[in-house]
Amino acid sequence: MFPTFFLSGFECSTFIWKDRGRRDLVAETQHREHVEEDYAFLRSLGIAVARQGIPWPFVDKGGAYDFSRLDPFIAAMNRHQILPIWDLCHYGYPDDVDPFAPDFTDRFAAYAKAAAEYVTPRIRGPHFFTPINEITFFAFMGGEWAWTAPFRNTDEDRHRLRLALCQADIAAVKAIREVDPQARMVHIDPLILVVAPRDRPDLKDEADRETYEDTFYAWDVIAGRRQPELGGSPEVLDIVGVNCYSFGQMEYRENGPHASLEPHDERIRPLGDLLTYAWERYRRPMIVGETSGLREGRPDWLCDIVEESLAAVRKGIDLHGVCLFPAVDMPDWHKGNWLHNGLCDLVEESGRLKRVPYQPYIDELRRWQKRLNRVTELDEDPFSDPVDLADIKRAADEMHMSSDKDWC
């Protein structure tokens, strides 16, 4: 499916934030100014696939489109032979759009079709799209926690927003495939575990509901398992992208975001088991859509993720890649400080954000590329020799990979 097993991407949120107005994380990380350098860096790492945002609020002005701001990104991708997974809605929508309005689905589908018409002739295929990023998390942020527009704060509004996003997503898939019938879709959401507090076993049902129902609701709708009248199907779901972070295993809180489990909490479940559960639910191709450790923990986290992914591969899941996200650092949305979660850290120098590769993380990537018989630097045509998943399975078997509860 992809020319390399390791993927990457760039933070591209365009939400209206609760106390700061419209934000553009591509601008905040200066990815636009450094796009040539950023893609050359991925090429040097042997990474030929990257998630890249199309900023819906900035290219859609009342239903009229100007995609010219994508041209520098497309030029850099073509020059360095990086295959994009186009992210069409990363939490942000235009000022004149209401996700609860009857015309939301049509508006998003028209934009998705226009975006596909613009990018597909300009860059080598196959073409990959993520219509709406993290529908489940988006619905929490905007529908219940009021962090982002539409700033609702009830469980009912979260459910309404989630369903509206699912309906628009399905319509967008069909609109994109009118342009390119072979286009592939990567539907990305967090893969989580929620457990009851030790002193509140009565909350087990609520915790399990989030783990086994809420986590999968959007994928279920897109796959046609729920709300089939919206037009979902396994072909619409296509590729399941699971985001895996250390803070994705949590203790239930009745109000607000849950509390992350500490690394050695006995309630943690092996990630390989969670990956296998998602695979068995849909039997669709999968990727780890985002993952990264923080600060000095990045190399150990990458090691854990790859080991658990390989353990799941041994159990039969159809895993096509692991996305190290982001390629360059990003700010904490709430506090503004740099998270130090990228392959590159960012250091301000005279108003510019210098890219400083975090070498221990890169060294760990190199170690795994070699163990999996993957390239460490792209050749002249990385598309000529796509990943043979038999290589990945063989490496997993040779290393006798099995899941454990070690969670860095």
Side-chain angles (χ1 to χ4, degrees), residues 99 104 132 135 138-139 160-170:
F104 177 69
I132 300 179
I135 288 174
F138 191 169
R160 289 179 58 219
L161 178 57
R162 181 176 62 185
L163 194 59
L165 295 172
C166 289
Q167 182 172 350
D169 186 288
I170 292 167

Side-chain angles (χ1 to χ4, degrees), residues 18 140-153:
K18 52 189 175 182
F140 271 109
M141 288 203 304
E144 184 170 329
W145 300 338
W147 290 358
T148 65
F151 301 111
R152 303 297 179 90
N153 58 6

Side-chain angles (χ1 to χ4, degrees), residues 352-369:
R352 288 180 64 81
L353 292 175
K354 180 181 178 181
R355 274 71 175 139
V356 179
Y358 186 62
Q359 198 59 46
Y361 193 6
I362 292 170
D363 291 344
E364 185 66 14
L365 168 63
R366 296 297 196 203
R367 187 173 75 87
W368 281 108
Q369 286 171 326

Side-chain angles (χ1 to χ4, degrees), residues 51-191:
R51 298 184 62 197
Q52 179 69 61
I54 299 179
W56 186 20
F58 303 135
V59 303
D60 178 349
K61 303 300 181 183
Y65 310 107
D66 179 4
F67 293 104
S68 60
R69 66 169 52 221
L70 301 181
D71 293 347
F73 301 95
I74 292 172
M77 289 177 203
N78 283 332
R79 195 153 32 247
H80 298 290
Q81 296 179 295
I82 306 296
L83 178 74
I85 301 174
W86 294 109
D87 195 333
L88 301 185
C89 177
H90 207 97
Y91 312 126
Y93 50 85
D95 293 340
D96 64 331
V97 166
D98 177 2
F100 294 109
D103 65 348
F104 177 69
T105 293
D106 291 342
R107 178 72 175 269
F108 184 63
Y111 151 68
K113 183 177 183 181
E117 289 172 339
Y118 193 85
V119 300
T120 54
R122 289 171 167 81
I123 200 159
R124 180 175 180 172
H127 300 289
F128 293 83
F129 296 86
T130 294
I132 300 179
N133 177 65
E134 290 192 328
I135 288 174
T136 301
F137 189 61
F138 191 169
F140 271 109
M141 288 203 304
E144 184 170 329
W145 300 338
W147 290 358
T148 65
F151 301 111
R152 303 297 179 90
N153 58 6
T154 69
D155 185 62
E156 179 184 358
D157 283 329
R158 174 173 67 87
H159 285 84
R160 289 179 58 219
L161 178 57
R162 181 176 62 185
L163 194 59
L165 295 172
C166 289
Q167 182 172 350
D169 186 288
I170 292 167
V173 170
K174 296 179 178 182
I176 292 167
R177 286 182 173 156
E178 289 178 15
V179 178
D180 178 5
Q182 304 305 313
R184 303 301 303 266
M185 305 296 152
V186 187
H187 285 97
I188 290 177
D189 240 328
L191 186 64

Side-chain angles (χ1 to χ4, degrees), residues 121-316:
R122 289 171 167 81
I123 200 159
R124 180 175 180 172
H127 300 289
F128 293 83
F129 296 86
T130 294
I132 300 179
N133 177 65
E134 290 192 328
I135 288 174
T136 301
F137 189 61
F138 191 169
F140 271 109
M141 288 203 304
E144 184 170 329
W145 300 338
W147 290 358
T148 65
F151 301 111
R152 303 297 179 90
N153 58 6
T154 69
D155 185 62
E156 179 184 358
D157 283 329
R158 174 173 67 87
H159 285 84
R160 289 179 58 219
L161 178 57
R162 181 176 62 185
L163 194 59
L165 295 172
C166 289
Q167 182 172 350
D169 186 288
I170 292 167
V173 170
K174 296 179 178 182
I176 292 167
R177 286 182 173 156
E178 289 178 15
V179 178
D180 178 5
Q182 304 305 313
R184 303 301 303 266
M185 305 296 152
V186 187
H187 285 97
I188 290 177
D189 240 328
L191 186 64
I192 67 167
L193 175 77
V194 182
V195 298
R198 291 185 178 91
D199 60 348
R200 292 292 308 276
D202 57 300
L203 293 176
K204 182 181 184 302
D205 288 347
E206 286 84 349
D208 285 350
R209 189 175 302 114
E210 285 214 25
T211 300
Y212 300 109
E213 292 185 28
D214 273 6
T215 295
F216 296 97
Y217 188 92
W219 285 319
D220 280 355
V221 173
I222 296 165
R225 294 165 59 110
R226 298 175 188 259
Q227 310 290 146
E229 70 279 3
L230 299 183
S233 70
E235 293 72 29
V236 171
L237 178 64
D238 198 3
I239 302 163
V240 176
V242 295
N243 291 354
C244 302
Y245 292 106
S246 60
F247 46 81
Q249 300 218 22
M250 301 167 281
E251 186 176 89
Y252 185 84
R253 295 291 183 269
E254 292 182 271
N255 298 300
H258 306 313
S260 298
L261 298 179
E262 293 297 322
H264 301 293
D265 193 301
E266 75 280 359
R267 294 169 294 175
I268 285 173
R269 284 191 61 187
L271 176 60
D273 291 355
L274 300 182
L275 291 170
T276 300
Y277 181 87
W279 157 252
E280 290 177 347
R281 192 177 185 107
Y282 302 111
R283 299 277 171 168
R284 298 298 305 173
M286 293 177 64
I287 65 169
V288 174
E290 292 181 17
T291 195
S292 179
L294 296 173
R295 298 184 177 273
E296 293 79 12
R298 283 172 276 186
D300 287 342
W301 181 253
L302 174 56
C303 181
D304 272 1
I305 285 289
V306 178
E307 288 178 348
E308 289 294 321
S309 295
L310 294 178
V313 166
R314 292 190 73 198
K315 295 179 181 178

